[in-house]
Amino acid sequence: MTDTAVRPAAAERARPAHPLDPATAAEFLAGRDILAAAGLLGETARFAYYGLEEPPKHEVLGPAPGGPPERRLRAFLIDVATGESADVVVSLDQRRVVSRRVLDPASDGQVPIFNEEFGVVEEVVRADPGWREAMARRGLTDVTKIRACPQAAGWFGEAADGRRRFVRVLAFRQERENDYIWAHPVDGIAAYVDLIERKVFKIVDEFERPVPEEPGDYDDPAVRGPVREGLRPIEITQPEGPSFTLDGHLLRWQGWSMRVGFDAREGLVLHQIGLEDAGRARPVIYRASVPELVVPYGDPGFRYWQTYFDCGEYLLGKWTNSLQRGCDCLGEIAYLDGTLTDDAGTPQVIRNAICIHEEDFGILWKHTDVFNGSAQTRRQRRLVVSSWATAGNYDYGFYWYFYLDGTIEHEVKMSGALFTAAHPGGDSPHAAEVAPGLAGPVHQHLFGARLDMTVDGMANAVEEVDLTGLPAGPGNPYGNAITQTATRLRTEAGAARRCDSSRARTWRVLSTERRNSYGRPVSYTLYPEAAPVLLADPSSPVHARAGFATSHLWVTRYDPAQRYPAGDFVNQHPGGAGLPAYVAGDRDIDGADIVLWHTFGPTHFPRPEDWPVMPVARCGFTLRPTGFFDRNPALGVPAPPGHQAGGHRPAG
Ligand code: NI
C-alpha cells in the first residue's frame, strides 16, 4: 500500500499554502507530538484514522480577521489493550487537544479496522483448536495453506456481542504461494474473532462443500491461455506538453480551476471547483468526494452478514494504489502523492496516488449545414483527475472528468475479483456459477457521493425535473404534447428522492441570486443513471445502517459536521446514522447553503465473464450546465489541425 516512510528531516514546510491542502507529513508528526504530550499515546494506542479536520466553509471563503483558518487534525484513537476508542481533534496552531470524545460501542459503534488487526486475524484463527478441528473434518490439516479473510462484523442486534470489537473470518485454500485464493473458498464455516482479546469466541459451521479445484491464477499461462496477437501500439503524444497547470494542489485547465486533495478515508477529494467565464470566476462545487461505498450481498444463507462499508469500516483511501505511467495513465501525466499515516501515526507517502491528464474525447460538436454550406467539426477533450483503491477483492477507480462545454462527470471503474462461494451445483437464485463448483453471489455496489454545491454562490435550491407526455384533450388535440415539470424541493425530509427513468428525472441545482440573460436562474443539473437503490428489506439491519442508500438523492443544509453518508462511525454501528439523521431536523433548503448527496452504482449479478478477474464495469453521474451559460460555451474551441478554414462545403 505505502512505499516510503517519511523521515522528519524530509518534512515539508510546516503550514501548507492553502487551508484546504491535505495534511503534510510534518503536520501529522506535530499532531502526534501534541497527542503524546496530552498523554493519549501510550504503548497500546493506535490510530484507526488520522487526517485533516477541514476548517468550516465560511472560514475558508469569508474574510479572515484573525488570519488564515486554524490547521486541525482529527484522529480516531484506540487502545488495543482495552478497546477504548476516542475521537480526538488537535489544533496545530494552539498546540493542544481541542476535543476528545470517548465512544460508547453500543451506540456509537467502533472505529475502522486498522492494518495491525488485519495482520493478527490469520494467526488467531490458525491457532484456534475448534477452527483447526473444523478444517481437519474437511480434510484440510495443514492450516498454513488456509488463508483467513477478515470481514467487518456488521450489526445484527446480537446483544451479547454488541460491545465486542470483532470480525467474521471466512477461509480460502492456498496450496501454493501463487494460488488465487478466490478460486478456492472453504465454505460453510466462519470464525468470529474478538480483536481486543485476540481470540476466536465463536465458530459457525453450517455445511461442508467441496473446495472448488479449478485454479484462477491468471498470471499462470496455463490458466490464462495464449497471449493475444495483433495489437499494434497506440501512442498518445502531446509534443507541446499538457494544457493544464498544477501549482501545488491548485489545478487549472481551460477556464476550470479546482484544488486536489486526498484523505485516508475518502481518497480523492476535490475542492473549489469553478469556471472562469468572461473574466468572472464562477464557483460550481465547493467540495466533491465519494465518502462512502456500501456493498451488501444478497445471499440469505450463513453469510447473511456480508456487507462492506468500504470507507467507513476500512478507510478506502488508505488502500490507494501507486499508479504507473503507461499502464494506469497514458499521455502527459502529472501525479500527486498522497500522504497518510500507519497505525502508529507515522507518515507514509503513496507515490503517484492521483493522476491528472487530458484525454481526447471524440467529437465535441459537428454540423453540416445544407442551407449555408458550412461544415464544421470540433473535438472534445476532457481533464481527468483519478485514483484507484483496492478494497480486498475489488478494485475501484474514481474518475472526475471536466469537459470543454462545462460538463462535469464522475465515473467509477470497478474491477478485481469476485468474492466467491462454493456452489452446490444447479441454479441458485442468489448466485451465478462462474467456474466448476464456484459461485459469485449477487450484491450491490452503492456509492454515496457528497457534492457541496455553490452554483454561482452559496444561495442554491434544488428542483426535481420530470419530462412527461400529456393526455390528448383541449390544448393537445393530437396527443403529442410533452412537458417539463419542475418541483421545488423545499425542506430536507421531502428531498430524499428516487430516480424515475420513465420520466427522465433529473435534479437541477440553481442559484437563487443569479440569473442568466433569459431571466432564469443559472443552474447545473444532476443526471443520474437510475439503477436500483438498496434492495434489502426495510426491516433488515443493513437497511438501518445503509440508510443513505435507500434514496438516490438527498439535500441537506450545509453543516461542517455532516460529512459521511452512513455517519462518522460505521463499523458495528447499529444504524440510523448519517443521512437519515442529518435530515431529521427537516431544515429549509430553499435558497440556502446546501449539500447534494447522490447514491449510485450497480446491482451486480455476476457473469462467467467476470471470472477470474472482472473486465471494468462503469457507473457514475453527470452534472451539466443548464442555463449557467447563455449559449454553447464551446464555440470558441479552435478547429482541429487539418480542418479546412471556413469549413468544408458539402457536395451537391
Ligand atoms: Ni460486483
Side-chain angles (χ1 to χ4, degrees), residues 263-566:
D263 174 71
R265 179 167 180 165
E266 295 174 78
L268 178 56
V269 178
L270 298 181
H271 283 106
Q272 296 188 299
I273 300 166
L275 272 164
E276 193 181 290
D277 175 27
R280 184 159 67 94
R282 303 183 68 185
V284 180
I285 310 178
Y286 176 75
R287 190 184 196 280
S289 69
V290 182
E292 195 54 273
L293 157 57
V294 65
V295 188
Y297 280 69
D299 184 340
F302 103 113
R303 298 178 182 197
Y304 65 89
W305 40 264
Q306 217 177 350
T307 297
Y308 313 121
F309 290 78
D310 280 313
C311 299
E313 292 174 336
Y314 298 115
L315 300 190
L316 187 58
K318 273 206 320 198
W319 306 93
T320 295
N321 297 177
S322 277
L323 299 173
Q324 282 183 33
R325 205 180 293 268
C327 296
D328 297 301
C329 334
L330 297 180
E332 290 290 318
I333 309 298
Y335 287 112
L336 282 171
D337 295 339
T339 302
L340 37 66
T341 72
D342 63 14
D343 299 344
T346 307
Q348 309 275 313
V349 169
I350 301 173
R351 296 285 176 218
N352 299 350
I354 298 164
C355 171
I356 299 163
H357 75 290
E358 281 173 290
E359 284 176 358
D360 180 277
F361 197 66
I363 303 302
L364 164 62
W365 57 261
K366 181 176 178 67
H367 182 54
T368 300
D369 196 277
V370 295
F371 292 103
N372 80 358
S374 165
Q376 295 283 356
T377 300
R378 296 295 182 274
R379 289 199 70 80
Q380 177 69 289
R381 66 168 87 178
R382 61 189 185 184
L383 175 69
V384 186
V385 186
S386 66
S387 73
W388 277 86
T390 300
N393 54 305
Y394 255 93
D395 300 79
Y396 295 104
F398 297 88
Y399 286 71
W400 291 95
Y401 301 124
F402 301 88
Y403 292 88
L404 294 172
D405 63 352
T407 299
I408 301 171
E409 201 174 20
H410 184 67
E411 181 178 68
V412 181
K413 301 185 187 188
M414 295 162 282
S415 191
L418 294 169
F419 201 104
T420 52
H423 196 266
D427 287 339
S428 161
H430 313 297
E433 192 169 17
V434 296
L438 184 75
V442 63
H443 55 275
Q444 297 187 280
H445 302 258
L446 298 167
F447 298 86
R450 181 180 182 278
L451 304 166
D452 183 346
M453 303 301 293
T454 44
V455 177
D456 253 348
M458 306 278 255
N460 286 178
V462 180
E463 287 175 350
E464 179 167 283
V465 180
D466 285 349
L467 304 182
T468 48
L470 297 179
N476 184 24
Y478 300 100
N480 66 308
I482 302 169
T483 193
Q484 172 174 283
T485 313
T487 308
R488 194 78 153 235
L489 305 178
R490 296 197 184 275
T491 66
E492 290 175 326
R497 304 293 302 163
R498 288 192 180 177
C499 294
D500 185 345
S501 60
S502 72
R503 295 164 181 262
R505 178 170 292 166
T506 57
W507 293 289
R508 190 177 287 168
V509 185
L510 54 91
S511 166
T512 52
E513 290 174 344
R514 299 200 79 108
R515 290 173 180 266
N516 60 25
S517 67
Y518 313 106
R520 308 269 178 231
V522 298
S523 72
Y524 258 78
T525 301
L526 171 67
Y527 290 75
E529 286 183 344
V533 291
L534 185 74
L535 293 175
D537 189 80
S539 68
S540 64
V542 66
H543 198 276
R545 299 182 66 229
F548 81 90
T550 61
S551 289
H552 290 107
L553 182 85
W554 303 79
V555 185
T556 57
R557 208 175 169 110
Y558 170 78
D559 177 338
Q562 296 178 346
R563 282 170 274 188
Y564 304 112

